[in-house]
Amino acid sequence: MALKPMDKRNGFDSRQALWAAIRRMQTFTLRTLREETVLRLDSVREYVVGLEKAGFIERTHESKRPGDPVVWELRKDVGVEAPRVRKDGTQVTMGDGCKNMWEAMRILRIFTARELAVAASLPECLVKEQTAIDYTYHLCRAGYLKKSGNGYIFLPAAYTGPLAPQIQRTKRVWDPNQQKVRWRSDEEAGNDER
Amino acid sequence: MKEKGKKTDFTAYTVAPLANVSLCASAVERAMQRPGHLPGMVCMYGPAGWGKSKAATYVSLKHRGYYIQCQETWNGRAILHYILQTMGIPPKQRVWEMAEQACEQLAKSGRPLIVDELDKLVEKKSVELIRDLFEGSGAVILLIGEQGVYDKLKRWERFHRRVLEWVQAVPVDIEDAAHLRRLYHPEVEIAQDLLERITEVSDGSAGRVCLNLAQVAGFAADVGMESVCLKDWGSREFLVGGSRGRRYGA
């Protein structure tokens, strides 16, 4: 799927949109799914193949001749959150560290970067202290965290939803819950034409 | 260092080996695999600072749970509002509709609900709402409360009966203390005798062990030592009970 930074994608998470459409329709073909979501055919196909491999959907009708489309049906509905699967059906693990930190800081409320890294680490996904330092630094700039001594405080009101804010390569903080850029670095802000 | 084809176990770098974390995690796992006719609520209780919330954090991340921390002011609507917020679902208007939304998501996702600081609800009717959510979804619910919560919940008999397992938090021991040292102060060695002393004075509280470890680590950094034993520490004071206020840095 497209690897453009989130804020360049018209605030549109294609995986989430496809999943929502599949849950609405229950049975679908690539074509009806594409009509429903207005996405490019290859991104639709990629996600559908991944979902099938992972067992979330099943074919109920095979294509017998050209023009006779394959029909899929939703088999494993896991709720609103779109399964994060790759084309081969395996779990997407990118961003798991940030996801765990975002969740952990809400529970810890008061923490240092090291405490956050420890709390957010699972045997299958370790979070390095440096990663936690970078993440907290950016979230603090973006107003989610308040500095307190050499630690941070997470204010309950700063919680915007289950999706972890992302630090983009362009050094912006993107909040996928609110679908907006929460912070951008000074140089970049200076370059903005106003 | 890495062997090919063999996955290294990184458990040692997480909180998983701590006694209370593993007690809580295995109780939740048993509840997730329980036979259908058994109830699915697990309640962990124990004094403040013993590491219950650490256990809740671990379980929440491990099983992608929906975690809420109850507040004194919450009523039923507030509970549902926050649960739906952590699910990323825009809440509908009526309370029963919100309960339906939450139940549907819990049932479909198969992810547990984690209710921390249950004490704050226990005097109110809203505990019955938690039971409703269980009945409406069959989801595993992990409840976390202070020491007295077991008795307080007896008042809600129907609720009490839905609890599959009561997990009493255990006091911190020397192994926990050694693991906490490895996690939070990997740069300084602390000798067995000093660890024992710290465990002793901390009166069961893992939180207090952490504070004392931080003091020792701070001392080691000040005098430039890489390893500290009881003799080095001498008659310096430890933090024993009283204020549990947290301090950062010097």
Side-chain angles (χ1 to χ4, degrees), chain A residues 29-42:
Chain A
T29 64
L30 283 182
R31 185 173 167 174
T32 57
L33 189 56
R34 201 180 150 213
E35 281 166 4
E36 190 78 12
T37 55
V38 219
L39 284 166
R40 288 209 331 272
L41 184 62
D42 48 347

Side-chain angles (χ1 to χ4, degrees), chain A residues 6 25 59 66 100 140 193:
Chain A
M6 281 304 296
M25 299 195 288
R59 284 172 200 237
N100 290 349
C140 190
E193 57 223 274

Side-chain angles (χ1 to χ4, degrees), chain B residues 154-179:
Chain B
K154 279 187 179 152
R155 204 180 128 198
W156 310 98
E157 199 209 325
R158 281 185 298 177
F159 187 96
H160 213 268
R161 274 194 287 130
R162 299 296 190 291
V163 177
L164 178 69
E165 236 180 287
W166 295 90
V167 184
Q168 161 81 67
V170 294
V172 69
D173 62 10
I174 177 105
E175 271 151 50
D176 279 355
H179 189 65

Side-chain angles (χ1 to χ4, degrees), chain B residues 163-250:
Chain B
V163 177
L164 178 69
E165 236 180 287
W166 295 90
V167 184
Q168 161 81 67
V170 294
V172 69
D173 62 10
I174 177 105
E175 271 151 50
D176 279 355
H179 189 65
L180 289 168
R181 199 280 306 163
R182 269 197 300 278
L183 287 179
Y184 296 113
H185 307 287
E187 67 284 350
V188 48
E189 269 307 322
I190 298 181
Q192 191 76 1
D193 55 359
L194 186 51
L195 276 179
E196 262 166 32
R197 186 91 184 89
I198 288 175
T199 315
E200 219 174 271
V201 297
S202 296
D203 200 21
S205 159
R208 220 169 283 150
V209 165
C210 288
L211 291 174
N212 282 321
L213 287 175
Q215 281 196 327
V216 172
F219 161 77
D222 284 347
V223 298
M225 292 167 97
E226 277 170 17
S227 123
V228 195
C229 69
L230 191 55
K231 220 170 89 198
D232 304 324
W233 183 252
S235 57
R236 287 176 186 82
E237 291 203 353
F238 287 109
L239 225 108
V240 282
S243 151
R244 292 192 299 109
R246 304 188 56 156
R247 301 171 315 143
Y248 286 116

Side-chain angles (χ1 to χ4, degrees), chain A residues 23 77-81 103 106-107 109-112 114-115 118-119 121-124 126 150 159 162, chain B residues 10 14 57-58 60-62 64 67 69 71 85-86 88 104-105 108-109 111 184 186-187 246 248-249:
Chain A
R23 289 187 79 209
D77 183 358
V78 290
V80 284
E81 210 170 305
E103 184 64 14
R106 186 167 74 93
I107 305 178
R109 293 208 176 166
I110 306 172
F111 52 85
T112 62
R114 180 176 289 181
E115 285 169 337
V118 169
S121 285
L122 294 176
E124 59 272 25
L126 293 185
N150 55 20
Y159 186 69
Chain B
F10 292 113
T14 70
T57 314
Y58 184 77
S60 181
L61 297 184
K62 184 83 190 166
R64 300 170 68 219
Y67 172 96
Q69 193 168 40
Q71 305 289 316
Q85 190 190 30
T86 63
E104 187 194 350
Q105 177 66 15
K108 288 201 164 141
S109 66
R111 288 153 64 172
Y184 296 113
E187 67 284 350
R246 304 188 56 156
Y248 286 116

